[in-house]
Amino acid sequence: MNHLTGIQHLDSSQLNMLLDTAQRMKESGEDYAGSLEGQCVANLFFEPSTRTRFSFEVAEKRLGAHVLNFQESASSRQKGESMYDTLKTLAAIGVKAAVIRHSQNGLMDDLQERTGLALINAGTGNEEHPTQCLLDLLTIKQEFGCLRGLKVAIVGDIHHSRVARSNYYGLTKLGAKVYFAGPACLNQTGAGWVPRGCWYDFDELLEEMDVIMMLRIQHERHEQTLAMSKDEYHQQYGLTEERARRMKRGAIIMHPAPVNRDVELASTLVEAPQSRIFKQMENGVYVRMAVLYHLLCPAAQRQEQPVNKGGERHGTFVKAGLYA
């Protein structure tokens, strides 16, 4: 693996390899300290971000990398420099990997084989957000042991969500069944990547799902204003306290955040016992460490042994060593 541009092109063995590495890092992170010592990683965020940006920075520093945080407003991008030339410049001065968040679809595919850098997609357009998917998969796997046979509802602004798309790819590759729900005006007409037969009324799903994954309304990507108030959205499509009481016993609540409280889900549910929202954030550091480790560390290039292959087996994580 030379880049992480999306989940769509990874297979189940690669997904499990990254998840298993992340889990080992969570259990014994000190064993990996210094793995990237002396290597430079640049974070280029062209869209606002709190969780993803700082999660990557913490991951990079825990592995011992030198971290460069790119600021577009103080860069030669203001003089008309292209993204390609910016990345070639970073490669020329010794940077090994670039973490990129950008609003442009297709950007990563266009650049990945031309810059000499390992590229990591930190969220592009409405295409993919692979590390958010990995941290979601890790959170679910920690909860249930594996993903095969689980039922996951992804609810909300599906059309504009790169999280929904990456999670659909990741969940189905590991054997979970994915269901979608949300406002028809945001979803069925635009999310052409969703197979037919996957759309449901949210209330029909509540009592059967193992995971309820709510999505943020991506107002910044809407071409038109959503024709309903926040309260109307919450009552029609949000996870209200009443809907939460109908959830299956043992089911969990997830959200990629930031959360619009009392819109996508009731404020009281954000830190409820069923919520794994802050666990998702915690896991984000470890999956990003795992991605960086596999892209940049020579030892990781010797391929770690995947366990729970394909997600078939329920149970706890199994420790596996590196192949010599």
Side-chain angles (χ1 to χ4, degrees):
M1 193 168 73
N2 299 318
H3 311 276
L4 181 67
T5 59
I7 297 297
Q8 184 175 12
H9 303 298
L10 299 183
D11 60 31
S12 61
S13 294
Q14 290 172 307
L15 291 172
N16 277 306
M17 177 185 69
L18 292 168
L19 296 179
D20 294 336
T21 302
Q23 182 64 27
R24 283 195 294 278
M25 288 177 159
K26 186 167 189 174
E27 293 169 352
S28 56
E30 63 276 9
D31 293 345
Y32 295 86
S35 298
L36 301 187
E37 186 174 357
Q39 300 199 57
C40 291
V41 179
N43 299 320
L44 296 87
F45 281 67
F46 296 90
E47 289 187 324
S49 173
T50 301
R51 276 150 289 274
T52 303
R53 177 172 180 164
F54 286 112
S55 181
F56 265 110
E57 186 167 347
V58 170
E60 292 152 4
K61 289 180 175 178
R62 285 188 181 179
L63 293 173
H66 299 299
V67 180
L68 306 179
N69 287 310
F70 177 84
Q71 294 186 355
E72 184 180 26
S73 61
S75 75
S76 291
R77 296 271 297 169
Q78 298 300 314
K79 303 175 184 176
E81 184 175 73
S82 68
M83 177 67 88
Y84 171 75
D85 284 330
T86 298
L87 295 176
K88 287 293 289 185
T89 298
L90 293 174
I93 63 176
V95 173
K96 298 300 182 186
V99 178
I100 301 174
R101 168 169 287 198
H102 203 283
S103 61
Q104 180 183 333
N105 288 334
L107 180 68
M108 304 296 284
D109 291 337
D110 180 54
L111 293 170
Q112 62 178 317
E113 302 304 333
R114 301 197 293 141
T115 66
L117 294 167
L119 300 184
I120 302 171
N121 182 352
T124 49
N126 62 353
E127 290 181 325
E128 285 230 37
H129 194 343
T131 57
Q132 177 68 44
C133 171
L134 289 167
L135 73 87
D136 289 341
L137 298 178
L138 180 62
T139 303
I140 297 171
K141 196 169 184 178
Q142 288 170 345
E143 191 74 26
F144 297 99
C146 86
L147 285 85
R148 184 163 297 282
L150 294 179
K151 295 181 178 179
V152 180
I154 303 178
V155 184
D157 186 358
I158 309 295
H159 171 46
H160 298 94
S161 175
R162 49 202 179 199
V163 174
R165 188 177 300 205
S166 285
N167 271 318
Y168 172 74
Y169 296 138
L171 288 163
T172 54
K173 286 173 189 284
L174 296 186
K177 175 71 173 175
V178 179
Y179 305 78
F180 295 97
C185 62
L186 294 179
N187 297 325
Q188 286 92 332
T189 57
W193 51 271
V194 177
R196 289 185 176 182
C198 290
W199 296 108
Y200 290 83
D201 183 279
F202 187 19
D203 286 299
E204 294 178 4
L205 299 174
L206 282 167
E207 295 166 10
E208 300 293 327
M209 297 296 106
D210 299 290
V211 179
I212 301 289
M213 184 180 295
M214 307 302 296
L215 298 176
R216 183 175 70 86
I217 305 171
Q218 311 249 333
H219 289 293
E220 69 275 19
R221 304 187 202 288
H222 292 187
E223 295 78 17
Q224 298 178 336
T225 303
L226 190 61
M228 66 181 77
S229 69
K230 292 179 180 178
D231 185 61
E232 288 172 335
Y233 184 94
H234 184 60
Q235 294 303 323
Q236 293 182 46
Y237 306 107
L239 186 59
T240 62
E241 291 183 358
E242 188 278 331
R243 287 192 174 106
R245 283 193 287 272
R246 293 168 50 203
M247 286 172 55
K248 179 180 177 180
R249 184 179 178 87
I252 61 173
I253 300 167
M254 301 177 71
H255 190 298
V259 176
N260 291 311
R261 289 174 181 255
D262 295 320
V263 182
E264 295 110 17
L265 73 164
S267 181
T268 53
L269 298 176
V270 174
E271 297 171 68
Q274 310 100 308
S275 172
R276 298 295 178 272
I277 294 172
F278 290 94
K279 174 65 72 70
Q280 292 173 260
M281 297 176 200
E282 177 187 355
N283 284 332
V285 173
Y286 300 105
V287 300
R288 285 157 183 142
M289 288 173 66
V291 169
L292 289 160
Y293 178 73
H294 278 282
L295 289 179
L296 297 180
C297 182
Q301 301 299 325
R302 296 195 291 271
Q303 184 75 14
E304 294 190 45
Q305 180 183 6
V307 294
N308 287 353
K309 199 170 185 178
E312 294 89 347
R313 177 164 54 84
H314 284 271
T316 57
F317 280 86
V318 179
K319 291 187 176 181
L322 293 172
Y323 286 129

